Amino acid sequence: MGTNSNNNNNTNNNRNSNTFSRKKGLIHGYLLLYNLIQSLGWTAVLASALRAVLLPASSNFGRTTNWQERLTTVYDHSSMFVKPFQILSLMETLHAVFGFVRSPVLPSVLQWMGRTHVLMCVTDSVIPLQKTTAAGVLILCWAITECVRYPCYALGILNATPKWLLYLRYTLFIPLYPLGAASEMKLMYDSIGFVKRVEMYYVHMPNVLNFAFDYSWFLYLVLVVYPFMFAQLYFYMFHQRRRKLKTKKA
């Protein structure tokens, strides 16, 4: 009896172990595919942005535009790639929720909401903002960051991340995150006049829900809390940098 019971337990343990291994393998395969797709998408973003900035373009006066003027064309060149792949990154919040990755859920959600709001609700909706230096800098900062981050994650799943890529992942954010955040805040601030003039996203009383909404005041509120949200993410990344680079050196 005792022997049969032990054999049954061992069999069940082996089955559970095999099932767990299969699930883990499927999750890893899915995450690898996801990160490869995002890598390709953001490479397209970066390539289109660099093309706008680096290749000479003729102005209305027949002269070659300088790089600052070219920055104002980055959004037009890159938006077809930026929008779908930024929206797709919503999956990363679900990865955290379902435990596919160890990332904290709340920062993942807030970062996705913040970036998507600036991209879709502000920059894509207020057309004059699309031809600004801030929009160009924003896209370049995002693209450079993601063209390092996603390959780093993909290779990490395979335990094949080179040291130089890991170093870039946890070093480039030092200048790029503040530049990106400053661009996001400038775009939101510059949109307020337009938002007030056309009453964009306003909800007026009376209505069925007995609810009013002034989007310009929402933008003011976001601008107040944005530096605090950014600081939390920024210092978290420094913590990750110390941990990841120290681990690899050890």
Side-chain angles (χ1 to χ4, degrees):
M1 290 289 291
T3 301
N4 290 336
S5 177
N6 289 337
N7 289 336
N8 289 335
N9 288 336
N10 290 335
T11 300
N12 290 333
N13 289 337
N14 289 335
R15 287 176 180 173
N16 291 336
S17 178
N18 290 336
T19 301
F20 176 78
S21 296
R22 282 196 296 269
K23 287 182 178 179
K24 187 175 181 180
L26 288 173
I27 291 172
H28 281 184
Y30 159 74
L31 290 175
L32 179 62
L33 177 63
Y34 169 81
N35 285 295
L36 288 175
I37 290 172
Q38 286 282 29
S39 297
L40 293 173
W42 284 99
T43 298
V45 174
L46 183 59
S48 60
L50 290 177
R51 179 178 179 274
V53 173
L54 299 178
L55 293 184
S58 296
S59 69
N60 293 331
F61 301 99
R63 293 180 288 104
T64 300
T65 56
N66 60 40
W67 66 269
Q68 289 176 314
E69 291 172 323
R70 293 177 203 170
L71 275 173
T72 64
T73 69
V74 166
Y75 189 87
D76 286 341
H77 282 79
S78 306
S79 61
M80 70 177 71
F81 302 113
V82 175
K83 289 186 285 187
F85 286 100
Q86 172 55 34
I87 293 172
L88 179 62
S89 65
L90 173 63
M91 298 304 298
E92 290 166 46
T93 68
L94 300 180
H95 298 165
V97 169
F98 293 118
F100 290 0
V101 297
R102 295 181 180 179
S103 301
V105 175
L106 185 59
S108 298
V109 173
L110 292 177
Q111 186 176 22
W112 182 84
M113 290 177 63
R115 284 178 52 156
T116 305
H117 169 254
V118 170
L119 178 65
M120 301 302 298
C121 299
V122 177
T123 310
D124 199 59
S125 299
V126 183
I127 294 176
L129 293 179
Q130 298 172 14
K131 299 184 183 300
T132 61
T133 301
V137 172
L138 178 69
I139 300 303
L140 282 168
C141 288
W142 283 4
I144 294 170
T145 300
E146 304 300 41
C147 280
V148 172
R149 185 168 74 96
Y150 285 113
C152 189
Y153 287 168
L155 291 172
I157 294 169
L158 302 174
N159 293 319
T161 310
K163 291 182 179 180
W164 63 266
L165 185 61
L166 192 72
Y167 181 81
L168 288 178
R169 165 71 183 106
Y170 291 102
T171 301
L172 285 178
F173 81 90
I174 297 173
L176 293 179
Y177 275 26
L179 273 175
S183 300
E184 292 171 24
M185 293 184 68
K186 179 164 176 52
L187 288 165
M188 285 189 285
Y189 180 80
D190 289 347
S191 72
I192 291 176
F194 179 89
V195 167
K196 288 180 177 179
R197 188 164 60 253
V198 304
E199 297 187 343
M200 191 170 76
Y201 305 140
Y202 276 44
V203 178
H204 295 285
M205 296 274 286
N207 56 60
V208 175
L209 298 176
N210 197 32
F211 169 79
F213 178 71
D214 184 330
Y215 183 57
S216 65
W217 280 103
F218 173 78
L219 288 171
Y220 282 125
L221 176 62
V222 172
L223 285 169
V224 170
V225 302
Y226 222 70
F228 299 99
M229 295 169 59
F230 168 74
Q232 184 178 17
L233 172 64
Y234 199 49
F235 291 129
Y236 170 77
M237 285 300 298
F238 274 104
H239 170 74
Q240 289 291 93
R241 184 177 193 273
R242 288 191 297 269
R243 188 171 69 87
K244 295 287 186 178
L245 298 185
K246 181 180 178 181
T247 300
K248 288 297 179 181
K249 288 179 182 179

